[in-house]
Amino acid sequence: KLYEILNNTMFKDIDRVPNIDINKVLNSRKKLESIIGIRKRYHLQLDNIGKYYFLIFICSLLNHMEWFLYIVIVDALLSLLLNLLMRINTEIYIKSKLKKVISQGKQVVLFGVGVGGKKVLANMLEADIPVHYICDNNQKKWGTEVYGVKIENPLRLKEEKENTFIFIASIWWYDIKQQLLKYGIKEEQMVSMYDY
């Protein structure tokens, strides 16, 4: 799922993103997450073979096998719809957040230079979004470049925290987020592809 998001997150259309209240986007995400949570909590989704067999058994007992087909179709459509809405919500949030940051003149910094980070960097550079530098906790990478963007020590963020926006593109997003919070960087100054 994450791989698809990383591959499909294109920043070319960032100028066409309307001015959207980010709080509304976050609220709609919370609603979607609660619906997904209810489905999982009460086992209202067909997510393993045991549930299929149980459903077949119940439908055959009731002598209505067509119900099985209807339930499977509805479950698949609902799962598809929820997944699509979450992806759209994620795209809108990331693009509107970046648009706001760029309009404020803040520096965009990418944290993480793994496979996901390189894909995000390539997409940003292709869309002419200036990435000022990349941070990574791996000391061996400091001073090197990826696609012409220099990799720096994360401590640089501590010094420039007022004028930066950090885009976390690492599977270690939670640890990185905690690290940045310890540096005094506010949560509004960062977004993670893996968390959101």
Side-chain angles (χ1 to χ4, degrees):
K1 187 174 176 180
L2 173 66
Y3 182 75
E4 291 173 13
I5 292 172
L6 289 173
N7 276 338
N8 295 324
T9 300
M10 298 300 280
F11 300 98
K12 288 181 180 180
D13 304 335
I14 202 163
D15 293 333
R16 295 189 336 193
V17 175
N19 293 327
I20 295 172
D21 183 10
I22 291 180
N23 291 327
K24 287 183 180 179
V25 176
L26 291 173
N27 287 337
S28 67
R29 180 163 185 95
K30 286 179 185 175
K31 289 175 186 174
L32 288 169
E33 286 174 343
S34 69
I35 292 169
I36 292 169
I38 288 169
R39 289 186 74 213
K40 286 181 181 178
R41 188 177 315 116
Y42 296 109
H43 305 285
L44 299 175
Q45 57 189 15
L46 298 175
D47 57 357
N48 67 43
I49 196 70
K51 290 180 184 177
Y52 279 100
Y53 285 139
F54 180 73
L55 187 60
I56 289 173
F57 175 71
I58 295 297
C59 290
S60 65
L61 280 178
L62 296 173
N63 205 16
H64 286 287
M65 285 307 291
E66 69 276 7
W67 291 1
F68 173 75
L69 180 63
Y70 300 143
I71 292 169
V72 169
I73 290 171
V74 167
D75 179 70
L77 289 174
L78 186 58
S79 295
L80 183 68
L81 179 65
L82 287 172
N83 188 8
L84 182 63
L85 289 173
M86 287 292 278
R87 290 189 62 179
I88 290 169
N89 183 281
T90 300
E91 288 283 328
I92 290 171
Y93 176 77
I94 291 171
K95 286 180 180 180
S96 59
K97 190 82 169 170
L98 268 174
K99 182 179 178 182
K100 181 179 177 184
V101 165
I102 291 169
S103 70
Q104 292 172 344
K106 293 194 177 191
Q107 294 181 351
V108 176
V109 177
L110 190 65
F111 202 118
V113 74
V115 174
K118 288 177 183 173
K119 284 191 176 292
V120 171
L121 178 63
N123 287 338
M124 288 177 145
L125 294 175
E126 187 179 333
D128 295 325
I129 294 173
V131 178
H132 291 0
Y133 57 94
I134 305 168
C135 286
D136 200 279
N137 286 322
N138 185 345
Q139 294 178 5
K140 294 177 185 175
K141 295 180 180 179
W142 298 348
T144 62
E145 291 185 358
V146 175
Y147 304 134
V149 181
K150 194 169 183 181
I151 302 171
E152 299 280 345
N153 183 335
L155 289 175
R156 180 174 172 185
L157 292 170
K158 218 179 201 182
E159 301 162 6
E160 301 175 358
K161 62 183 169 191
E162 298 302 321
N163 194 33
T164 57
F165 179 77
I166 301 115
F167 202 92
I168 304 171
S170 170
I171 60 170
W172 306 106
W173 66 269
Y174 183 78
D175 296 329
I176 292 168
K177 183 177 176 181
Q178 297 309 310
Q179 176 184 354
L180 295 174
L181 290 172
K182 286 179 185 173
Y183 290 171
I185 297 169
K186 298 173 186 164
E187 209 165 329
E188 307 86 60
Q189 292 176 259
M190 60 183 101
V191 69
S192 171
M193 288 295 291
Y194 290 76
D195 178 26
Y196 196 80

